[in-house]
Amino acid sequence: MQPLDRSFFARPTLSVARDTLGKYLIFADKIVQITEVEAYIGTEDPASHAFHGLTPRTQVMFGPPGHAYIYLIYGMYHCLNFVTETKDFPAAVLIRAARPVSGLPVPTDLSGPGKLTRELGITRTLNGLDTCLPHSPLFLTESHQKPTRIIADSRIGIKNGREHLWRFTAVDFLPLT
DNA sequence: ACCCCGATCGTA
DNA sequence: ACGATCGGGGTT
């Protein structure tokens, strides 16, 4: 199992977001399959952390694609993103939900970005990690399974930018193995 | 230095 | 509907 190539992330963020559905997310000995994501695109997106330009917190979003952007939210949860597009263009895909594949109890609830990182043990010590490197502890990999249908909807928990249907959820998901 | 509030979640 | 909990970013 090897990480997705950087070229996967170096594309328009909406394409990356859709194509991320069904992929495996691997951390330590845990594997989950991604079922819901959101896109945050550029400095014109009022819901993005990059809306007010480059700051210490958002510098990873302005960096090269394929790196992990991980931040603390509400003082107690972490959110995991994968940086997309090109260096100096801030964009990322937020991983919002997944389902357990291995290394976790089958009934583990991974529906929500905070739950997902908590159950996997992902924290901001991994912020900025290049997930495309061969031995990255955290990475995406192929699953050869695609959702039969994708729903596009408004993003969760934001005030501005709700007109963009940049949340993508896999439905009619193919059964595993 | 201060203040506000958030890409959330669990409980009421 | 609301509290927990704290760092970032804007303002003073």
Side-chain angles (χ1 to χ4, degrees):
Chain A
M1 274 194 189
Q2 53 182 330
L4 292 182
D5 192 81
R6 199 174 312 284
S7 59
F8 175 83
F9 300 99
R11 298 183 294 138
T13 304
L14 296 181
S15 300
V16 178
R18 288 173 165 276
D19 293 346
T20 298
L21 296 173
K23 295 286 190 292
Y24 290 144
L25 167 66
I26 303 193
F27 178 62
D29 58 340
K30 305 179 183 72
I31 306 179
V32 303
Q33 186 169 38
I34 297 170
T35 57
E36 183 183 356
V37 299
E38 283 175 359
Y40 290 85
I41 310 175
T43 54
E44 309 298 308
D45 175 3
S48 174
H49 291 166
F51 183 56
H52 294 289
L54 175 62
T55 68
R57 178 172 64 151
T58 60
Q59 64 172 346
V60 175
M61 285 187 79
F62 285 80
H67 290 241
Y69 171 47
I70 304 168
Y71 62 90
L72 183 66
I73 187 67
Y74 296 111
M76 57 183 91
Y77 300 105
H78 293 273
C79 286
L80 167 66
N81 301 250
F82 288 87
V83 176
T84 59
E85 310 215 17
T86 64
K87 185 180 181 310
D88 298 326
F89 184 85
V93 171
L94 169 69
I95 310 301
R96 283 196 58 86
R99 61 177 186 171
V101 172
S102 72
L104 288 167
V106 174
T108 306
D109 181 9
L110 302 172
S111 60
K115 290 183 200 170
L116 180 73
T117 54
R118 187 185 58 191
E119 297 302 326
L120 288 173
I122 294 169
T123 68
R124 69 184 190 281
T125 60
L126 296 164
N127 186 39
L129 182 75
D130 185 351
T131 72
C132 299
L133 294 180
H135 299 102
S136 173
L138 169 69
F139 60 97
L140 296 187
T141 194
E142 273 310 332
S143 74
H144 302 297
Q145 287 185 314
K146 293 180 181 173
T148 56
R149 188 169 149 232
I150 295 173
I151 289 186
D153 216 330
S154 185
R155 292 171 291 178
I156 300 293
I158 60 166
K159 274 204 186 84
N160 305 308
R162 280 183 254 179
E163 68 275 19
H164 295 124
L165 305 184
W166 288 352
R167 177 163 61 99
F168 301 99
T169 306
V171 289
D172 299 334
F173 221 70
L174 296 174
L176 281 179
T177 45

